[in-house]
Amino acid sequence: MIAIGCDHAGVELKDEVINFLREKNIEVTDCGIKSGEKCDYPDMAEKVCGMITSGEAEKGILICGTGIGMSMAANKIKGIRAAVCTEHFSAKYTRLHNDANVLCMGARVVGPGLALELADIFVSTEFEGGRHQRRVDLISKLEEK
Ligand code: RB5
């Protein structure tokens, strides 16, 4: 299951991403918000990431104006590896090499066409493991410092 959330800057894009994933028969939980509502991005990052750390969701997608605020907040949470992506290569390799579990996108940065492709790559690309696992483990160790 993919948990997805946004702040007020990302509502329309969030809804498009949800429709796109559901059309692909991917299970999605909409953590909010609805059009017209306001939300501080750290609160939504906490909500979506909480679903990942609890095991309810496998991955998350967070959308704000730039994607940056969401990623800063998400990466404060133990067990979360969030990546802001604005092009295909990063979306692919942050899964292959970093085992990113959260994709952050900026609704004021990427158009809907690109955003849907980034979401598609993110949900369908498997972590390569191998030598990359050791590096991901080193990231986890940093959480203890
Ligand atoms: C909200 O106006 C905006 O600051 C937020 O969506 C995001 O871009 C922060 O990183």
Side-chain angles (χ1 to χ4, degrees), residues 29-111:
T29 294
D30 183 356
C31 294
I33 55 175
K34 292 193 173 69
S35 182
E37 293 178 347
K38 287 247 174 196
C39 164
D40 294 323
Y41 57 82
D43 293 335
M44 183 55 71
E46 186 178 12
K47 195 169 176 179
V48 167
C49 294
M51 293 194 71
I52 299 168
T53 55
S54 70
E56 289 164 89
E58 183 197 340
K59 293 185 190 120
I61 297 178
L62 287 167
I63 301 171
C64 63
T66 59
I68 296 171
M70 283 292 196
S71 71
M72 287 179 168
N75 279 317
K76 295 285 182 197
I77 299 168
K78 194 172 176 179
I80 297 300
R81 291 176 301 280
V84 188
C85 296
T86 58
E87 34 68 38
H88 298 74
F89 189 87
S90 298
K92 180 176 175 182
Y93 278 86
T94 201
R95 286 290 310 129
L96 288 174
H97 289 188
N98 313 130
D99 197 17
N101 50 12
V102 176
L103 169 67
C104 299
M105 295 190 286
R108 296 171 180 159
V109 181
V110 296

